[in-house]
Amino acid sequence: MNIADKTIAKMRGPANMHIICIDVTNKCDLACSNCTRLLENLDAFWEITPENFRTALRSMKGYFGIIAMIGGNPCMHRNFVELCQIFVEEVPNKLQRGLWTNNYFKHRQLCLDTFGTFNLNTHGAERAESVMKDFAQQAARGGAVVWNYSGHSDHAPLLTAVQDLYEEDQMWEKIGNCDINREWSASIVQNNGELRAYFCEVAASFDLARNEDHGLPLEEGWWQKPITDFADQIKRFCPGCGVPAKQSPMKDFADTDTYTITNADIAVKSEVNKKRKIIYMEPSNKKDTNRRVTSYNAN
C-alpha cells in the first residue's frame, strides 16, 4: 500500500463526523479573505431547489449528528422560509437542525423556531455584531447549542496548494492531519442542478469554483460509506488544497486571497472578473505556521 492509500485509510469518514453540511447557496453579504467556500471565486450565484433540499435531507436518514445548513449565508436564499419548513418536516429533532450564518436579516424568529444548533460568525461586520450577540443569548436561553464568534478572524489560505510546497511524503502527512477532515464536515451540494456528496466541504468548494463535477451521486445512506470509497476525491482535491499546508493567515476583512501555481486559474479568474486582490506565494517563501485554518477572535 502506498503512502496516499495508507493516509486515506486513517482519515475520518462522514459517518464519524458529528456535523455534515448541506450547502444551500453561495450568496453572501461578505467577501472574506481565503474563504473556505471560495465564494468570491465562483462565476455565478446559485441556490439549492427546495425539492433537492428535501432529497438531501432524506439521504441523511439515520444520521446521528447535526445537519448544518450552510452557504454563503443561508438566510439570503430566496426560499429560506420554505427550506426551514422542509427541515422541520424531515428532521424532527430540533437539535439536529443547524444553521451556520453571519446574519439572520429578517428571519430572527423563524431561525429561533427552526434551528436547535447555531454557528454564528459575524466576521466583525458592525451591522451584525450587536444583533447577533443578542440573538445568540436568546437562542441559548431557549435551549439551543450556540457557537458565537464576534470580531474578525484569521483565515489561512485555501489556494496555497500543499503539493506546491512539500515533497510527497510530507504532503500526505499533512493531509492526514488536515483541520477540515479532523474537525469539520462532509458536504452535500447542488452542482449544475444535481446533488453531489463530498467527503469534505472544501473539496466541494473547489469543484464549484472550477465548474467541475467530481462528487458522488447522492443516494440514501451515502454518509455511511467508508472513507476509502472517497479515495478518488481525496487524491484529486487534497494535494491542491492549502488547508493542510497551514501557511500564514490573512484577516477576513482584507478581501485578499493568497495562492500558489496549482490554483492560479481560480485566483486569476477572480482578479480579472471581480477585481479580487490576490498574492502569489513562491514555494521558497513557505512558512508552516501550524495554525488552525480559521482562528477566531479571542472574544
Side-chain angles (χ1 to χ4, degrees), residues 3-4 7 161-177 238-240 244:
I3 188 169
T7 299
V162 66
Q163 68 183 3
D164 294 335
L165 304 176
Y166 296 96
E167 297 297 328
E168 185 176 18
D169 285 5
Q170 194 172 7
M171 177 188 79
W172 280 106
E173 179 183 358
K174 289 180 173 295
I175 289 171
N177 288 292
C238 292

Side-chain angles (χ1 to χ4, degrees), residues 13-16 197 216-217 219-230:
N16 294 317
L216 295 184
E219 58 185 29
E220 186 175 315
W222 68 271
W223 55 274
Q224 296 174 304
K225 292 179 180 292
I227 190 62
T228 49
D229 282 15
F230 296 89

